[in-house]
Amino acid sequence: MFGTPPELGPDLSFLGWVSAIALGVVVLVLLELRRRRTAFAHLTRGRHHAEELWSQGWYCHRCGTVHFVDVPGEDHAPLTLQRFRERVWEKGGYGDLAARQRAADPARRP
């Protein structure tokens, strides 16, 4: 009755550490996905305003400029492609990106 203890099998205590690490990785992935979704929602919040203004622009192929016709609050003077992009992106709320991502203006040819 009180002899040697029976064999218990291999030591599986490392599985607790593996499970804890896997849980940590899952939590980090979920946090990153939430951060990306929030950033994307912030970027696209004013998209409908930008698309509304963009759809009212008219591009003249002959002179290479964009015109707004009967758009309240917009000038009737022709705009370069870069200035048109800046106006549309400003309307959408992300106008600071227009300076970094320049349009292909015909006047800027090398």
Side-chain angles (χ1 to χ4, degrees):
M1 190 184 287
F2 289 105
T4 59
E7 289 288 324
L8 297 176
D11 182 23
L12 300 177
S13 62
F14 71 93
L15 290 178
W17 288 104
V18 170
S19 299
I21 291 172
L23 180 64
V25 168
V26 167
V27 167
L28 288 175
V29 166
L30 289 175
L31 287 174
E32 176 65 16
L33 287 175
R34 181 179 172 133
R35 184 194 66 79
R36 286 184 181 196
R37 192 171 102 201
T38 303
F40 182 73
H42 176 71
L43 233 145
T44 58
R45 186 175 305 145
R47 182 177 179 174
H48 63 281
H49 295 297
E51 286 180 347
E52 181 181 333
L53 183 63
W54 177 82
S55 67
Q56 294 174 353
W58 175 77
Y59 179 70
C60 175
H61 291 278
R62 187 169 32 134
C63 60
T65 58
V66 180
H67 304 269
F68 288 119
V69 180
D70 298 330
V71 179
E74 293 297 327
D75 192 13
H76 294 291
L79 303 172
T80 64
L81 292 177
Q82 178 62 28
R83 186 64 192 132
F84 174 70
R85 175 183 277 185
E86 290 170 1
R87 289 294 307 131
V88 169
W89 288 15
E90 286 169 7
K91 187 79 167 183
Y94 40 92
D96 57 324
L97 297 175
R100 288 185 286 179
Q101 299 178 5
R102 307 260 324 151
D105 278 337
R108 290 188 334 120
R109 289 187 185 161

